[in-house]
């Protein structure tokens, strides 16, 4: 009797039309594990073959073993992680992209959006702040910042941001006014209505404000292009009790692009009005023969009206 024994040939998973390429690329990676082009093509092939977990693992292995990372590989990883609802993994990849190209606004915005969508506003807040400070025309970042601060329970910080949004964006005034009305009762002292008289300098024609930081009195101008009030290092050195914030911050102002450190000052006085917990940017020097400039974080709460003398009044928006 003739016995026939059949041996099955185990060819591994069936990747359909992508199988030949997948097996060839895996063979290549045995000797060139950090070949970004091969890694990317292999992961895409696995994805197209519906082998999603294997595709994700291909990205993970590359990122764990290889430095520096190729941004095109990370971008494919990010999209797949998002599609597969791997939120924590997607956030981590997005952060890696920002680290590779910190000035890339697309990478930064994608990371911010992921943080907000995944319920992590407290992590997104400093990114939104620095993005808005760097370009005051990015009012969408200010809106996201205000909402993130509110979501993170930073009610009074959110109120200041909503007030500022009302001032800088006509299109957002309706929504910002609603937010201000909603938050105002929880933040006594943020919305001020006292009047302080400020006279126009007859020689320069510029507005000059007698501003007090604690026990120190300084002369500041008004810069409606600057998101933050900024002062010179000389003025800052006279202050006491300021709390350090982000360092090495870039801010676009009317006087140019400034780089300095952010601090929170407990009380700032403008005329007879006191404003609590004000962020200021401390820069090496300020041009114009004055000590600094009031930025939008105070200026957005100021209105000018004509009387015998021109008055500035800090008021709620409306």
């Amino acid at each position: 009797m003739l016995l026939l024994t059949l041996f099955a040939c185990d060819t591994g998973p069936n990747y359909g039309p992508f199988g030949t390429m997948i097996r060839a690329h895996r063979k290549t990676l045995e000797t060139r594990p950090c070949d970004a082009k091969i890694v990317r093509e292999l992961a895409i092939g696995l994805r197209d073959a519906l082998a999603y977990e294997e595709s994700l693992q291909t990205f993970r292995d590359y990122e764990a073993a290889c430095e520096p990372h190729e941004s095109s590989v990370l971008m494919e990883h990010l999209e797949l992680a998002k599609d597969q609802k791997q939120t924590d993994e997607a956030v981590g990849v997005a952060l890696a992209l920002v680290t590779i190209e910190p000035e890339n606004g697309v990478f930064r915005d994608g990371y911010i959006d992921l943080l907000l969508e995944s319920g992590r506003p407290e992590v997104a807040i400093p990114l939104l702040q620095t993005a808005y400070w760097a370009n005051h025309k990015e009012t969408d970042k200010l809106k996201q910042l205000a909402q993130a601060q509110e979501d993170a329970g930073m009610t009074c910080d959110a109120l200041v941001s909503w007030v500022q949004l009302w001032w800088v964006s006509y299109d957002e005034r309706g929504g910002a006014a609603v937010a201000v009305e909603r938050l105002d009762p929880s933040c006594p002292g943020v919305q001020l209505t006292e009047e302080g008289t400020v006279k126009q300098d007859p020689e320069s024609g510029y507005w000059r404000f007698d501003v007090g930081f604690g026990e120190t009195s300084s002369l500041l101008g008004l810069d409606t292009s600057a998101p933050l009030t900024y002062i010179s290092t000389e003025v800052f050195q006279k202050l006491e009790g300021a709390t350090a914030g982000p360092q090495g911050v870039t801010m676009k102002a009317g006087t140019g692009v400034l780089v300095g450190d952010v601090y929170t000052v407990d009380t700032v006085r403008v005329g007879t009005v006191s404003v609590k917990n004000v962020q200021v940017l401390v820069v090496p020097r300020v041009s114009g023969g004055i000590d600094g400039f009031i930025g939008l974080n105070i200026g957005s709460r100021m209105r000018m009206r004509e009387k015998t003398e021109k008055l500035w009044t800090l008021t709620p928006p409306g």
Side-chain angles (χ1 to χ4, degrees), residues 91 250 261:
V91 169
T250 298
D261 301 330

Side-chain angles (χ1 to χ4, degrees):
M1 180 173 64
L2 179 63
L3 297 178
L4 297 177
T5 303
L6 300 177
F7 294 92
C9 181
D10 183 9
T11 59
N14 180 11
Y15 298 115
F18 306 99
T20 301
M21 181 273 288
I22 288 172
R23 284 185 284 274
H25 277 25
R26 279 181 166 161
K27 187 69 175 176
T28 301
L29 289 180
E30 290 177 7
T31 56
R32 291 155 48 193
C34 294
D35 188 320
K37 180 176 181 293
I38 298 298
V39 169
R40 183 172 177 272
E41 290 178 358
L42 172 59
I44 291 174
L46 288 165
R47 180 201 66 194
D48 292 344
L50 307 184
Y52 300 121
E53 182 56 33
E54 291 181 65
S55 180
L56 285 171
Q57 192 59 49
T58 299
F59 287 125
R60 296 169 191 148
D61 292 343
Y62 164 78
E63 290 157 24
C66 305
E67 290 283 352
H69 299 145
E70 172 62 46
S71 60
S72 64
V73 177
L74 268 63
M75 289 173 68
E76 292 290 350
H77 187 182
L78 174 61
E79 291 306 312
L80 182 60
K82 287 165 61 178
D83 289 344
Q84 295 302 302
K85 311 300 182 186
Q86 300 294 321
T87 305
D88 288 344
E89 186 168 344
V91 169
V93 176
L95 176 57
L97 280 167
V98 174
T99 303
I100 291 172
E101 297 186 33
E103 302 303 319
N104 189 314
V106 174
F107 292 166
R108 178 203 67 196
D109 293 352
Y111 180 45
I112 289 172
D113 290 343
L114 270 172
L115 290 170
L116 296 176
E117 291 166 7
S118 61
R120 302 174 217 193
E122 68 286 350
V123 185
I125 285 169
L127 295 169
L128 288 165
Q129 285 178 322
T130 54
Y132 176 62
W133 294 340
N135 185 357
H136 67 276
K137 294 183 179 179
E138 290 204 44
T139 55
D140 59 318
K141 295 297 181 296
L142 180 56
K143 182 179 180 180
Q144 284 183 307
L145 172 62
Q147 189 60 62
Q149 289 169 324
E150 191 170 346
D151 292 343
M154 301 167 63
T155 304
C156 296
D157 290 324
L159 177 56
V160 172
S161 295
W162 284 119
V163 170
Q164 194 166 335
L165 182 65
W166 183 96
W167 201 89
V168 300
S169 176
Y170 182 82
D171 292 339
E172 297 291 348
R173 282 192 171 184
V178 170
V180 168
E181 185 176 359
R182 178 177 66 250
L183 299 181
D184 189 39
S186 302
C187 301
V190 172
Q191 292 288 21
L192 303 172
T193 57
E194 301 96 320
E195 285 190 358
T197 302
V198 182
K199 295 184 179 179
Q200 195 172 27
D201 185 331
E203 294 184 6
S204 67
Y206 294 127
W207 288 100
R208 294 291 185 256
F209 297 83
D210 183 15
V211 178
F213 297 95
E215 300 300 317
T216 302
S217 182
S218 303
L219 187 66
L220 270 64
L222 177 65
D223 186 343
T224 56
S225 294
L228 296 179
T229 296
Y230 54 102
I231 59 175
S232 66
T233 301
E234 182 180 355
V235 172
F236 177 73
Q237 289 173 342
K238 301 175 184 178
L239 306 187
E240 295 182 0
T243 304
Q247 307 292 288
V249 168
T250 298
M251 184 178 76
K252 188 174 183 180
T255 56
V257 177
L258 308 174
V259 178
D261 301 330
V262 175
Y263 291 83
T264 299
V265 179
D266 179 65
T267 303
V268 175
R269 297 187 315 278
V270 183
T272 60
V273 180
S274 295
V275 185
K276 296 290 187 180
N277 299 319
V278 177
Q279 287 181 308
V280 298
L281 181 70
V282 180
V283 296
R285 63 188 61 82
V286 177
S287 61
I290 54 177
D291 300 315
F293 285 86
I294 290 176
L296 287 173
N297 60 334
I298 295 178
S300 61
R301 289 178 267 176
M302 301 180 72
R303 305 287 175 268
M304 186 180 74
R305 65 187 188 190
E306 298 288 344
K307 280 192 173 179
T308 305
E309 298 177 289
K310 292 182 177 179
L311 297 180
W312 282 96
T313 308
L314 276 74
T315 66

